[in-house]
Amino acid sequence: MEDVARLAGVSHQTVSRVLNMHPNVSARTRKRVERAIAELGYRRNTAARSLVTRRSQAIGVLAAGTAHYGPANTLLGVQHAARNEGYAVSMASLSEVTPAAIRAALEHFLLQSVDGIVVIVPHETMLASLRAITVSVPLVAVGFGADERLTVAAVNQRAGAALAVQHLVNLGHTAIAHISGPQDWMDAAARTEGWRRALEQAGLPEGVLIPGDWSAESGYRAGLELSAVPNMTAVFAANDQMALGALRAFREAGLRVPEDISVVGFDDQPEAGYFVPPLTTVNQGFTELGARCISMLLSDLENGPSGAASVLNPRLVVRGSTAAPR
């Protein structure tokens, strides 16, 4: 840094201000310093900086189920927000969600001296483990319900399911089935609960419930089963992949979507608008979720654990897979 200051003809403090994007540097001086940095090939010594600040400028992100669109894009949202704040991301992916695997991953992050940890595993086993484990750095749980012992950033899954069901009710449907995700995943359980509550509030009987595993194949099997249910006119699938499988099953069974049966998904993955027909679905806002998560983590890093909860409301995206029943 002293070499950069000497070449640019400025003070050491001015170089530091330029590197830290401080606003009180003139454009002319900033350009001169940046030119010197480029000429000398200067890079920060992150180890030395960590010794001074006592921070590693790195966070650990623990995730599971990243083969699926929802967890994968929650992870991308968190990574993008962390990089925007100048933080590197160290990631650990769980192949199985067990207390031993969770403890090992958290210990791995602590050995790396991360400044904080983000957990994207909305699973009952993870919740129980986090309640039982104490870590020495701030931790934000993404996708969990409000919990006084955890700082939480989440999407209101029940509200998203209610949006899907209410849309079908408003169209005139009275027999609405549900293809659920695995019920040990908290998002799946919340969407099922939202489906039940919305039907109850509309004065409708609970429809057929078929469990899936997030995959298009499980949606396909569920769709074949639902094709034989009499008088059913609508299906709410807990994610877009299962909705895609159901669309194929209905087509093979000779049912037209949306003329004979309406279908709503969840996630609003980029391909959803190109399904046949284009899929009505629920958008979770993964970019905003990631930004809120990192904002809360940095706040806890400065001020101590808050136990606060930030909950986003999803939005319904209406396309061609839903219509009034015949």
Side-chain angles (χ1 to χ4, degrees):
M1 194 182 294
E2 290 177 356
D3 293 337
V4 171
R6 190 179 303 110
L7 180 60
V10 298
S11 68
H12 177 280
Q13 290 80 5
T14 298
V15 175
S16 177
R17 283 194 285 269
V18 170
L19 291 170
N20 289 295
M21 304 300 292
H22 197 284
N24 294 337
V25 180
S26 71
R28 183 178 179 181
T29 299
R30 185 180 301 277
K31 187 173 182 179
R32 194 162 70 244
V33 171
E34 289 173 346
R35 195 160 48 235
I37 288 171
E39 183 176 336
L40 294 173
Y42 170 78
R43 297 290 183 274
R44 289 188 180 193
N45 186 323
T46 54
R49 186 169 184 240
S50 296
L51 287 173
V52 173
T53 64
R54 296 189 178 181
R55 291 187 182 177
S56 64
Q57 291 298 119
I59 62 170
V61 179
L62 179 58
T66 52
H68 303 296
Y69 180 82
N73 280 270
T74 302
L75 173 60
L76 288 175
V78 168
Q79 289 178 319
H80 180 73
R83 285 195 298 270
N84 283 346
E85 294 293 339
Y87 278 78
V89 173
S90 175
M91 185 194 160
S93 182
L94 296 177
S95 57
E96 56 178 359
V97 184
T98 64
I102 293 165
R103 284 194 299 271
L106 294 176
E107 181 64 25
H108 169 72
F109 288 142
L110 295 176
L111 288 173
Q112 291 182 322
S113 299
V114 297
D115 293 331
I117 298 172
V118 175
V119 174
I120 312 173
V121 192
H123 191 286
E124 289 291 350
T125 302
M126 174 60 78
L127 180 60
S129 295
L130 291 180
R131 285 172 171 165
I133 296 173
T134 301
V135 295
S136 57
V137 297
L139 183 147
V140 174
V142 183
F144 289 71
D147 187 295
E148 68 278 3
R149 295 190 58 185
L150 298 172
T151 299
V152 172
V155 174
N156 191 331
Q157 305 292 332
R158 293 180 185 84
L163 285 173
V165 174
Q166 190 59 53
H167 170 65
L168 294 168
V169 170
N170 291 344
L171 288 171
H173 295 277
T174 57
I176 303 170
H178 180 44
I179 305 173
S180 77
Q183 292 301 289
D184 54 353
W185 285 86
M186 299 170 73
D187 286 353
R191 291 171 200 174
T192 298
E193 183 179 347
W195 166 73
R196 286 198 174 104
R197 285 186 182 179
L199 290 176
E200 181 181 355
Q201 290 174 358
L204 297 175
E206 184 173 314
V208 177
L209 170 63
I210 299 180
D213 61 9
W214 299 127
S215 71
E217 181 183 355
S218 71
Y220 173 75
R221 292 195 303 267
L224 291 178
E225 188 174 341
L226 290 170
S227 298
V229 176
N231 303 319
M232 188 200 61
T233 63
V235 176
F236 164 48
N239 76 342
D240 291 348
Q241 287 299 109
M242 292 192 296
L244 174 62
L247 288 174
R248 175 176 171 178
F250 294 147
R251 182 182 179 88
E252 291 182 1
L255 295 174
R256 297 171 299 165
V257 178
E259 292 85 357
D260 299 318
I261 189 166
S262 288
V263 178
V264 181
F266 206 104
D267 281 340
D268 193 25
Q269 65 183 63
E271 297 84 1
Y274 299 92
F275 289 0
V276 180
L279 184 66
T280 295
T281 185
V282 177
N283 184 293
Q284 298 196 63
F286 294 113
T287 300
E288 175 63 20
L289 178 62
R292 289 199 188 185
C293 167
I294 295 302
S295 175
M296 297 179 81
L297 184 68
L298 297 183
S299 176
D300 283 4
L301 188 59
E302 292 294 332
N303 306 310
S306 64
S310 178
V311 181
L312 281 71
N313 288 316
R315 61 185 179 89
L316 182 71
V317 180
V318 178
R319 298 192 180 100
S321 66
T322 51
R326 290 191 302 172

